[in-house]
Amino acid sequence: MMARLLNPLSPVSSLVFFLAMMSYPAVSSVSNYGIGRSDVSLFALTNAQLQLDLTFMHLVTDVIACMFGAWGAWKACSPRSMVAPPWIGGSAVRRYGVPVLKGAALCALAYAAGCLPAIVQTLRFTGGSVPVGALLMGMAAPAAMFALGYSFGTIMGSRWSLAPATLLPAALCWVSVMLLMPRTPRGDVFPQSWGSPLAVAMPVMNTGIGAEPGLSINPSAVTARWVLVVVVLAASTAACILTAHRWRPGLSWIVAPLAVLLLVPTAAGGLVAMSGPAEWRRSAPFTPVCKSIDGVPLSVCAHPDDDAHLRRYMRYMRSAASWFPKDSVEDSSGLVLLLGNAFTPTTHGQAWNLTGQGMTELQHLGGKKIQVMTDTVTERTGRYSGLENVTETIVKEFVHADCAATALENVYKQGTLDDGASVSAFVLEQLPVRMSETAYESMGGRGSGASGMGSARGPAADLLNDATNEEFHAYVRRNLSEIERCAVTPSNVINDLGKNH
């Protein structure tokens, strides 16, 4: 049954190449998406990251697909093959067009099968829908490469066809990576669509643009890519037919099939590159999903498709909130974290890329809004490109130690801790780092400690430096109000922390 379905492609060769083609995306899925980790729900990549990966995880698959095509044609349909073609009879279009279609479909399916672990893992632990557009974009490249390889095998009629079938896709992938350098929008606005139309005609989509919430493939780009694939399939079939009709001793016959095989797809790709659509689109105005921390005026908002980042930052913020005793920050207006460039507007006249309902909900939360970088650094998110930047803002918002302002300016000039202001400054300088490390530890990471913060030395400074994050956390909770009033002296530090050492 399988042999009849694949005829004239060899079932054994097809199986071997199928498994080889799906191996790279499958291995990438396992390594990139936390498969096998104990608490993968906290580390799973986002739906946007999956879409980016689906557009370039086919690099190795492309090379193998082209080799598969060359091998299959040499074994089955080449006029000079040592193996008698098993499928004799019928029109030339049927003899060459059908195996090209079968092989192209098989290569596209192999890539899709290899991507399934990443897709299933992402959809289990994040919001969003099945990334059909991005998957179709990735499946297109192996399909086109098989057709090119099949033509090489037919034209050359020998095992030497494996050489160009290996070099051509590898060269195309390398060139596309070199040409399509990151084109991330920068500045205070984010366009609705961006990226180079050239990417639609090349195997690899723009690299490094960032997996921001709300990112999606432009449907027009998917259509253009598959129109180009149809052109490649047609040109490859035509090249095979010309080979069968024109072959004779000598090399003069090779000009026509090679011209069709190389020039037609190149011309079509050029047209797409000059007038094709941008490949990426960002979210239309949306209503965010927002969650608040109990007891502390701290909220986190994310795009509805960005459940992974929302869950991760909520855990970070719960850890940060644990540094403040109940009712200790009631007088603060609070902070609202907006995750990612999905919130960045498309015009200068907008505050955020939100619907009317979304703007209303954001206003009801009150507090200061800060836009946190989740993947791509832009003008809006650069100030909060790491968790330590966020915890530093939290400390400034929730801890009001005006009495230590001058000491904070001189915390790296202070030789010893000699009064309450210097102690408060020394503690506050460490606090954002300690907070971020404790947050990472809450996710299963390991902190490196904050040894060496500030320049002061002596018994009190050494005790603060040498304290573990857990000990420092407990110390701050016990003495937060005194730290704000600069009422903690060096002797108080020694009496409090010294008994633990």
Side-chain angles (χ1 to χ4, degrees), residues 37-54:
R37 291 178 184 169
S38 58
D39 191 7
V40 70
S41 64
L42 294 172
F43 296 91
L45 298 184
T46 64
N47 189 270
Q49 179 65 55
L50 175 63
Q51 290 189 86
L52 285 178
D53 283 359
L54 292 179

Side-chain angles (χ1 to χ4, degrees), residues 107-122:
C107 293
L109 288 175
Y111 180 67
C115 292
L116 278 179
I119 294 173
V120 172
Q121 188 79 342
T122 302

Side-chain angles (χ1 to χ4, degrees), residues 67-420:
M67 294 172 64
F68 176 31
W71 176 267
W74 173 71
K75 294 290 287 183
C77 295
S78 169
R80 292 185 289 174
S81 174
M82 298 297 292
V83 180
W87 194 14
I88 299 174
S91 68
V93 173
R94 181 174 178 233
R95 182 179 178 188
Y96 292 103
V98 172
V100 166
L101 287 174
K102 286 183 177 181
L106 195 64
C107 293
L109 288 175
Y111 180 67
C115 292
L116 278 179
I119 294 173
V120 172
Q121 188 79 342
T122 302
L123 298 184
R124 280 183 64 196
F125 296 108
T126 66
S129 56
V130 178
V132 176
L135 183 60
L136 287 174
M137 210 74 173
M139 291 167 64
M145 292 303 173
F146 174 88
L148 292 175
Y150 196 88
S151 301
F152 285 134
T154 301
I155 293 171
M156 297 184 67
S158 71
R159 287 192 179 96
W160 287 106
S161 60
L162 291 172
T166 302
L167 296 175
L168 178 66
L172 284 173
C173 292
W174 181 80
V175 169
S176 65
V177 171
M178 293 298 102
L179 289 177
L180 304 175
M181 299 305 288
R183 295 173 181 269
T184 307
R186 305 260 175 194
D188 205 39
V189 297
F190 228 51
Q192 187 65 45
S193 300
W194 72 93
S196 169
L198 177 61
V200 181
M202 301 295 284
V204 184
M205 302 293 281
N206 276 13
T207 55
I209 70 164
E212 286 298 335
L215 179 76
S216 64
I217 287 286
N218 188 341
S220 298
V222 179
T223 301
R225 172 72 74 100
W226 274 98
V227 168
L228 184 58
V229 170
V230 171
V231 171
V232 172
L233 296 180
S236 299
T237 303
C240 292
I241 294 172
L242 286 172
T243 299
H245 282 86
R246 289 175 172 264
W247 184 86
R248 58 184 178 272
L251 292 176
S252 60
W253 63 271
I254 204 172
V255 175
L258 277 181
V260 171
L261 177 63
L262 299 178
L263 296 182
V264 173
T266 301
L271 288 174
V272 170
M274 287 189 295
S275 58
E279 73 270 33
W280 296 109
R281 298 189 67 180
R282 54 87 54 88
S283 174
F286 63 94
T287 300
V289 176
C290 297
K291 294 186 178 180
S292 299
I293 306 296
D294 292 336
V296 176
L298 192 58
S299 302
V300 182
C301 296
H303 188 278
D305 287 352
D306 202 28
D307 213 29
H309 276 131
L310 178 61
R311 183 171 53 249
R312 193 172 304 167
Y313 268 85
M314 279 299 292
R315 189 148 176 179
Y316 287 157
M317 292 305 101
R318 288 192 185 98
S319 174
S322 71
W323 289 76
F324 304 101
K326 186 178 180 181
D327 302 329
S328 64
V329 293
E330 283 185 332
D331 58 337
S332 172
S333 60
L335 287 172
V336 180
L337 277 58
L338 310 179
L339 303 184
N341 279 310
F343 289 89
T344 305
T346 56
T347 68
H348 290 287
Q350 295 175 284
W352 310 103
N353 183 40
L354 299 176
T355 60
Q357 180 183 350
M359 288 293 295
T360 300
E361 292 185 6
L362 203 60
Q363 290 169 359
H364 284 166
L365 287 174
K368 178 183 178 181
K369 314 298 188 299
I370 63 174
Q371 197 170 342
V372 180
M373 189 279 289
T374 56
D375 189 271
T376 306
V377 178
T378 62
E379 192 172 301
R380 281 190 171 228
T381 62
R383 288 170 295 174
Y384 308 104
S385 58
L387 184 57
E388 190 175 330
N389 303 129
V390 176
T391 54
E392 184 177 356
T393 303
I394 291 174
V395 171
K396 290 179 179 179
E397 182 67 24
F398 291 164
V399 182
H400 305 291
D402 296 335
C403 57
T406 302
L408 269 170
E409 293 177 1
N410 300 301
V411 72
Y412 286 101
K413 300 176 184 178
Q414 185 80 24
T416 59
L417 301 182
D418 50 18
D419 59 15

